[in-house]
Every structure is written in structure tokens, then in C-alpha cells.
Amino acid sequence: LAAGDAAALTAAFEPLHAADIADLLEQVDDETRHALVRLYGREIDGEILSELKDSIREDVIAALEPQVLADAVRELETDDVVDLIEDLDEAQQDTILDALEASDRVAVEQSLSYPEYSAGRLMQRELVVAPEHWDVGQAIDHLRAQEDLPEQFYHMILVDPRMRPTGYVTLGRLLSAPRATRLADLAEESFRTIPVMQDEGEVAYAFNQYHLISAPVVDADDRLVGVITIDDAMAILDEEHEEDILRLAGVGEGSLSDGVFATTLRRVPWLAVNLVTAGLSALVISQFEETIAALVALAVLMPIVASMGGNAGTQSMTVTVRAIATKDLTSANLWRVIRREVLVGLHNGIVLALPLGLLVALIFGAPMLGAVIGAALVINLLVAAAGGMLVPVALEKLGVDPALASGVFVTTITDVVGFYAFLGLAGAMLL
Amino acid sequence: LAAGDAAALTAAFEPLHAADIADLLEQVDDETRHALVRLYGREIDGEILSELKDSIREDVIAALEPQVLADAVRELETDDVVDLIEDLDEAQQDTILDALEASDRVAVEQSLSYPEYSAGRLMQRELVVAPEHWDVGQAIDHLRAQEDLPEQFYHMILVDPRMRPTGYVTLGRLLSAPRATRLADLAEESFRTIPVMQDEGEVAYAFNQYHLISAPVVDADDRLVGVITIDDAMAILDEEHEEDILRLAGVGEGSLSDGVFATTLRRVPWLAVNLVTAGLSALVISQFEETIAALVALAVLMPIVASMGGNAGTQSMTVTVRAIATKDLTSANLWRVIRREVLVGLHNGIVLALPLGLLVALIFGAPMLGAVIGAALVINLLVAAAGGMLVPVALEKLGVDPALASGVFVTTITDVVGFYAFLGLAGAMLL
């Protein structure tokens, strides 16, 4: 296909959704992508650009002719244009801004003036509003007379004379009510506005928690400045989850299409931190060199205690990080949940220490060695449960993202405690 | 507050959204919750019940008077009723079904006849449809004449005479078009139907990928049977993410309000599996007992190599599991991504082996020991990168959820390879 037949390519892409074309462009290698963009160039529309990941998007935009690019962005809503250009370099930003109509350009520039990851960056400026004293007939006539309605809208926002939103009416109610009904009588009960400076994570949480479909955005004076729709909130929710998962694993953000060098750079820092903490474990072990020299079986068994602690700590930590993110963990239930985790740790410890201790006692023919590893396991699982809870809670209180940093601390704690408990007990009891 | 003043409690709950009241009921302890439900009982509505987590919901429903429960569920849409009752025991299910009006009961029972986690369970049965040949005026008059419109709807679905959906019109377009416009001329380009048996995860993916707001659900004969709206898809997306994160950490599903015993039961299996794989590592080490006895420093250093491999493997694995879940990893880019991961592993290995090797050489005054640990680290990070990619890809091909099982395999591989490479090299080079 990529042998040069532009018409065939256009025909093949015709039935595909923009999001699928974007995925395809992301998944092929650089050369194929450049060939595709050259061939398909004139057909690339704003929606495809919107769907592309940042790193690929820059590449594609640079390859497009200015006229094609201008046509592509002009058909987008302002919130999509903002999303499109906020990560581009300045020269590319200016090219796109120049291509917009004057009113859209002002709207986009205003959105860009709000901080990154704020509601102001997410909102679209195209609004469907009505004075609160209108009736249904006036509203419908007004809508029919408008030329430039947003592509998607689900509510008519009611405003007072100072442009402060006072409620909204779903289009369903507007459609099904008699023309003489006052809009104010149709307004939804569950009306929420979003402050323009609110963090996008909070916005997504509000949409998910309160089942919002769209929500008006207001400035510091409570005046209406934009509207956020659920599809944008859903995309943010998806991104936040992705961040959480990747951060828990110590992988920075990035995409599969990034190069080897960029990926290495993102992953090395966490591994370097782990090298330091692993050094700490080595330091602990080195204090027991004589004990190990006297009984080499200890070297064979000690990773078991540490690895079990690491796993139990990760379980406890993950549950806690999630609960913090979903706001399920609050001061109302913190102590109850901590008590539960510690009890779970104790139970896990006892349940697993028994078979481990028995096996070790049998295999090594040394009952005391079995008792020592069992006791060390119980201690380490208790500490893992408590640490897995307390570390993320403490980081959250200190204003550090618990997903980002908890892992290092928790596994350091369980490694150090695991080696110390096992080797220390062994030194005291067996030699 | 919980001292018995029902009026004060009702007043305090008045400004709260149902979702917040549900969160509050989840976060307090059992006794407080029972007291709250007793006091607030008559005011508990269907929405609050919908928002509760399964385990708490059963508890609350059991505590409600039958009449209150009947009133509460009667005001819900059918999809919410289905969600409410699908996890209840049969006696509770019957109580609720009996409380519904006959037509709603049939709809709920039909939904329940579809498999769990299918589109059929998610959809609501309340539909807003119009024959495809109608014009805007007919559609609006029809809507105004309807008594029982769904609470939320965003599209009018066009159907042919055999009830097969042929397109849909957004309410915004319906409102802004002249009365004589044919509905078919207003239909959206991006029209997608969802098969009733489709997995809910696929449904959520389609909503997120194609920015759907609502989508008609069709049966095997392409006939319209229901509609799914984005708020339900968003809730599913949220649940699937939660599952992925918890599975990656080896924690079964469950909630913070579960008891100690239930939580222990969920976490022990993974820890038990880890005990077996840790035993495998111990077996590897035990083959080098003589080497360790000759040079105890090896016991001090060996956890470093294993732990670094475990971390690098987890990074690679998490990226892969995510990419599979988001469908970013396909046969089109699989080999390219594998090559990248292996190269990243090699680079990480070299970058980190140099300082580690130097430090070990200096501290232990043994250049060869530094060279051995450096070489072992490079080998283990290479294996970690490849294993972290290949294990989830292979599990996916075998039909096993990669989030659930990858962790065990990957850390087993890195532990075994780490100990083997380090101790084996040391035995060969140093003794």
C-alpha cells in the first residue's frame, strides 16, 4: 500500500475513525509514518491530529504543509486546539494560532494563559447560554437562529445578568417541555460549577463521582468562562490512571513510540535510587558476615524473608495508594484501616510462617532454624503491612505523590527489616 | 449527631449529593452505619443505594424496611436497578423485583439474562427512538407527547421498520434545525452500535477511543435492545483500571471496608505463590554454598543483583501490561517494542554496572569482584527487560490476564537469573 498509491490509501482510510488512523500512525515505524503522512497529507484532519500522542504529533505537524495544517485546525473546537498545541514548540504554536480565525485565536490564547493541568486548559469556550428568565420557546428560537453552535452540547446554561451561571437545563427536558415553560422550572437539581483554576484530576473526580455530563467553568468572580464535557473528563481519568500505574512501577510517563535513549533516561533514576537502597540492605547483611560464615544456610534462606516482606508491603501500599487516589481513605476511617492492615499482616505472617518454618526445619534438620525463619517472617510481614500503609499516608500529608515515591521506601524498609530480623535472630539463637 | 436526632441528620444530609452520602456510609464503622441507616432510613433513596459498594449495599438493604426499599428502587432507571441487584442474594433480588412495576421488572429480568460483564447488563432499556423518515417537527411533537422519558438522554436513535438502528441525531442538532428538516439529514457521521454480548471492558474502550456519548445496543439480529451512556462507560473504565492496578500488585479485588479475614484470604494466595518461587531462588543459592562459604562477601552483595533485576523487570512488565490493556501494543509494533526494551535493558545495565562495579572494587579492595557484579548486573537487566516484555505478551496469547500473573513469573526469572549469574560468575572467576 505504501508503494505510492495515494488514492488507494485514502480509500483504505475512509471507513476508519480518526482515533484508529492516529493509532495506526503511532504504531508503525518512523519511515512508514513519514511515507504515510506524505501520501495522505492533504486528507489529514484536525481530529486525527488531536488523537495523536504528543511525541508523534510534533513529528506529523512538522511534516504537513502549512495550508493543510491551517485547514485541519480551523475545524476543531477551541479545547481541542488548546490540547493540540500546548505541548508544541513556540514556532509550531504560532503557525497554528495564525491559522485560526481571530475570535478563536483569542479564546485559545486565553485558555493557554491558565496553568497547565487546570480546568481552564480543558474547557471549551463555545457556550450555549440563556438568560434565566427565558422560556422554552425563546430558547429554541434562539438556538435555531444561531449559526455557530458547538458540535457537541448537552445542556443550556442559565445565567443571570452578570453572566453568573445559576443552573442548567438538559436538552432532553428542553425538547420535551411545552414552549411556554420557564427554563428556570426545568433546571436540574444537581448543578455544580467548576473553578477555572481547579486541577484537572479534581475535575475528572467530580465528573465520575457526581455523574456529570457537562459542567460550567467559572472564574474567581463566579462568572461563566467555559464548559467542560464528560468526554474530556474521561480522557483525563484515563491519563491519571495511566500515571498512577506507571509511577507505582517507577516508570516515568512516556509512550511505546519513544526512542531507546529517552526511555533509558526515564527509567534509570528509579533504578539508581534502588541501587542505593539495595546498598543499604548489603550494609545490613555485612554486619552479619561472621554469622553467615558460621552457617552458610542463612545466606540461602535470607532472600526468602526479604522477598516475602517486599511483596506483602507492595500489596498493602498499592491498596493504600489507590484508596488515597479515589478518596476512599479519609481521617474518618484511617485508624480503622491501619488496624485492619496490621491484623492482616499478622495473620498472613502466621499462616505462612508455619509451613515455611516446618519445611526449613525438616530440610535442614534444624528445628531452631525453622523457628528463627518463621519468627523473622512474622515480624517482616507485620512491618510490611504497617509500612505499606503509613508510608503513602505520610507522603500524601507531606504533599508528595504517594504513587511516585512509596515503592522505594516500602521495599527498603522490608529488605532492611527482613535481613536484620532473620540474621539477628539467627545470630542470637543459633550460634 | 448520631445521638438520635433524625431531623437534624436529615437536615445535615440535605445539601449532600447521593454519592457523598454513600461514601460517608462506607467510611464509618459498622455500628455507626447501622445507627445512621436506622435514623435516616426513610430518606434513603435509590441513588444512594446505587452509589454504595457491594459489600456495604447488602448490609444497608437488609436493614431497610421493605416499603422504603420499594420506593427507593422504583425511581431508578433499569440499568441502575440491574447494577443494584446483580450481586445481591436471591431473596433480596426477589424483594426488589417485586417492588418494581411490571414493565420495569420484565426489562430488568431480561438484562439479568445476559452474562455478567456484558453490554446487556450495562444498557438501559428506556429508549428514545424515531423512524428514520420522520422530520424534526414530528420528532419534537413526539417527545413532548411522551410521559415517561428517560432522565438522561443525548441522542434520538433512528430505526428502520424492523427496529434496526440506522443512525442517531444529537439533541443539539434536533433543537437547532428547522422543523421541516429530515432527521436522516441530521444524523451523525460517527455512528456505532454495540453488540449486546460485548464485554464491558470493550464497551468502555470504544467510548474512550471514539468519544461516544451514548451508543445503541443491538442483538444478534441487529435489532435495537437498549442504549449505553458514557457515564456508565466511565464507571467501567474506572473499575477496570482499579482491577489492573490491584492485580499487578497481587491484591484481589475488594474494598477498604472488607473485614480482616476476607482481606487475608484474598492476599495469602499470591504470597504463597511467592513463597514457592522464593524457594526456587533459595535452591539456586544452595548450589553455591561452597562458593559463599569461601567468600562471604558474595552473600552480602547478591541481593543487590536480584533486587535491581526485579525492579527493571517490573518496569518493563508494567509498561507492557498497560500497552496491552490500551491496545497500543499490536503485531504491527511488537518486534520494534521488544527490540527497544532489550536495548533499554542493555543501556540501563551498562550505566548502572559501572558505578556499582567501581564501588564494589574499591570497598572490597577486589577489582575482579567488581567486574563480576557488574557483569552479572548487565546480564540480569537484559533478561529483566526481555522477560518483562515477553511474559505478559505470552500470557495474553494464552488467554490469561497478564496483569494477574506476570509479576510472579517476571520476578522469579530475575531472582533466579540474578543469583545464578552472580554466584556462577563468582565461582568461575574468583575461586
Side-chain angles (χ1 to χ4, degrees), chain B residues 162-165 218-224:
Chain B
R162 300 178 57 189
M163 270 302 269
R164 287 183 302 212
V218 294
D219 66 14
D221 298 325
D222 273 340
R223 266 192 295 263
L224 183 67

mmCIF file of all heavy atoms in Angstrom, chain B residues 162-165 218-224:
data_model
loop_
_atom_site.group_PDB
_atom_site.id
_atom_site.type_symbol
_atom_site.label_atom_id
_atom_site.label_comp_id
_atom_site.label_asym_id
_atom_site.label_seq_id
_atom_site.Cartn_x
_atom_site.Cartn_y
_atom_site.Cartn_z
ATOM 1 N N ARG B 162 -37.840 -2.456 10.991
ATOM 2 C CA ARG B 162 -37.593 -3.682 11.763
ATOM 3 C C ARG B 162 -36.815 -3.409 13.043
ATOM 4 O O ARG B 162 -36.194 -4.299 13.600
ATOM 5 C CB ARG B 162 -36.883 -4.704 10.879
ATOM 6 C CG ARG B 162 -37.757 -5.054 9.655
ATOM 7 C CD ARG B 162 -37.078 -6.015 8.743
ATOM 8 N NE ARG B 162 -36.693 -7.237 9.438
ATOM 9 C CZ ARG B 162 -35.925 -8.166 8.900
ATOM 10 N NH1 ARG B 162 -35.453 -8.005 7.671
ATOM 11 N NH2 ARG B 162 -35.609 -9.245 9.573
ATOM 12 N N MET B 163 -36.841 -2.142 13.499
ATOM 13 C CA MET B 163 -36.189 -1.723 14.747
ATOM 14 C C MET B 163 -34.668 -1.880 14.704
ATOM 15 O O MET B 163 -34.021 -2.070 15.741
ATOM 16 C CB MET B 163 -36.750 -2.499 15.955
ATOM 17 C CG MET B 163 -37.946 -1.849 16.620
ATOM 18 S SD MET B 163 -37.612 -0.152 17.204
ATOM 19 C CE MET B 163 -37.049 -0.472 18.883
ATOM 20 N N ARG B 164 -34.111 -1.836 13.500
ATOM 21 C CA ARG B 164 -32.649 -1.836 13.428
ATOM 22 C C ARG B 164 -32.160 -0.392 13.385
ATOM 23 O O ARG B 164 -32.623 0.392 12.552
ATOM 24 C CB ARG B 164 -32.177 -2.585 12.190
ATOM 25 C CG ARG B 164 -32.351 -4.084 12.342
ATOM 26 C CD ARG B 164 -31.831 -4.806 11.157
ATOM 27 N NE ARG B 164 -32.510 -4.352 9.953
ATOM 28 C CZ ARG B 164 -32.755 -5.128 8.892
ATOM 29 N NH1 ARG B 164 -32.360 -6.380 8.899
ATOM 30 N NH2 ARG B 164 -33.366 -4.649 7.837
ATOM 31 N N PRO B 165 -31.253 0.002 14.308
ATOM 32 C CA PRO B 165 -30.791 1.397 14.324
ATOM 33 C C PRO B 165 -30.005 1.727 13.059
ATOM 34 O O PRO B 165 -29.177 0.929 12.612
ATOM 35 C CB PRO B 165 -29.888 1.478 15.563
ATOM 36 C CG PRO B 165 -29.566 0.088 15.929
ATOM 37 C CD PRO B 165 -30.630 -0.801 15.366
ATOM 38 N N VAL B 218 -27.354 -3.524 20.191
ATOM 39 C CA VAL B 218 -28.166 -4.346 19.293
ATOM 40 C C VAL B 218 -27.997 -5.827 19.608
ATOM 41 O O VAL B 218 -26.963 -6.250 20.115
ATOM 42 C CB VAL B 218 -27.772 -4.110 17.815
ATOM 43 C CG1 VAL B 218 -28.111 -2.684 17.401
ATOM 44 C CG2 VAL B 218 -26.291 -4.386 17.582
ATOM 45 N N ASP B 219 -29.017 -6.611 19.291
ATOM 46 C CA ASP B 219 -28.934 -8.056 19.498
ATOM 47 C C ASP B 219 -28.316 -8.722 18.269
ATOM 48 O O ASP B 219 -27.859 -8.049 17.340
ATOM 49 C CB ASP B 219 -30.309 -8.639 19.853
ATOM 50 C CG ASP B 219 -31.293 -8.515 18.698
ATOM 51 O OD1 ASP B 219 -30.868 -8.225 17.561
ATOM 52 O OD2 ASP B 219 -32.503 -8.703 18.940
ATOM 53 N N ALA B 220 -28.320 -10.036 18.254
ATOM 54 C CA ALA B 220 -27.655 -10.774 17.176
ATOM 55 C C ALA B 220 -28.282 -10.476 15.813
ATOM 56 O O ALA B 220 -27.628 -10.598 14.769
ATOM 57 C CB ALA B 220 -27.702 -12.272 17.469
ATOM 58 N N ASP B 221 -29.559 -10.051 15.790
ATOM 59 C CA ASP B 221 -30.209 -9.711 14.521
ATOM 60 C C ASP B 221 -30.105 -8.228 14.206
ATOM 61 O O ASP B 221 -30.865 -7.715 13.367
ATOM 62 C CB ASP B 221 -31.701 -10.085 14.582
ATOM 63 C CG ASP B 221 -31.877 -11.572 14.782
ATOM 64 O OD1 ASP B 221 -31.052 -12.330 14.243
ATOM 65 O OD2 ASP B 221 -32.828 -11.964 15.491
ATOM 66 N N ASP B 222 -29.203 -7.511 14.902
ATOM 67 C CA ASP B 222 -29.024 -6.077 14.689
ATOM 68 C C ASP B 222 -30.218 -5.249 15.113
ATOM 69 O O ASP B 222 -30.355 -4.101 14.690
ATOM 70 C CB ASP B 222 -28.725 -5.774 13.206
ATOM 71 C CG ASP B 222 -27.240 -5.886 12.928
ATOM 72 O OD1 ASP B 222 -26.457 -5.814 13.904
ATOM 73 O OD2 ASP B 222 -26.869 -6.042 11.761
ATOM 74 N N ARG B 223 -31.086 -5.811 15.921
ATOM 75 C CA ARG B 223 -32.223 -5.025 16.386
ATOM 76 C C ARG B 223 -31.869 -4.301 17.670
ATOM 77 O O ARG B 223 -31.161 -4.815 18.522
ATOM 78 C CB ARG B 223 -33.443 -5.923 16.590
ATOM 79 C CG ARG B 223 -34.345 -5.965 15.358
ATOM 80 C CD ARG B 223 -35.661 -6.621 15.697
ATOM 81 N NE ARG B 223 -35.455 -8.012 16.045
ATOM 82 C CZ ARG B 223 -35.610 -9.028 15.180
ATOM 83 N NH1 ARG B 223 -35.987 -8.807 13.942
ATOM 84 N NH2 ARG B 223 -35.396 -10.261 15.574
ATOM 85 N N LEU B 224 -32.421 -3.085 17.794
ATOM 86 C CA LEU B 224 -32.150 -2.242 18.952
ATOM 87 C C LEU B 224 -32.743 -2.835 20.226
ATOM 88 O O LEU B 224 -33.935 -3.111 20.281
ATOM 89 C CB LEU B 224 -32.770 -0.865 18.695
ATOM 90 C CG LEU B 224 -32.548 0.206 19.754
ATOM 91 C CD1 LEU B 224 -31.084 0.587 19.815
ATOM 92 C CD2 LEU B 224 -33.393 1.431 19.452
#
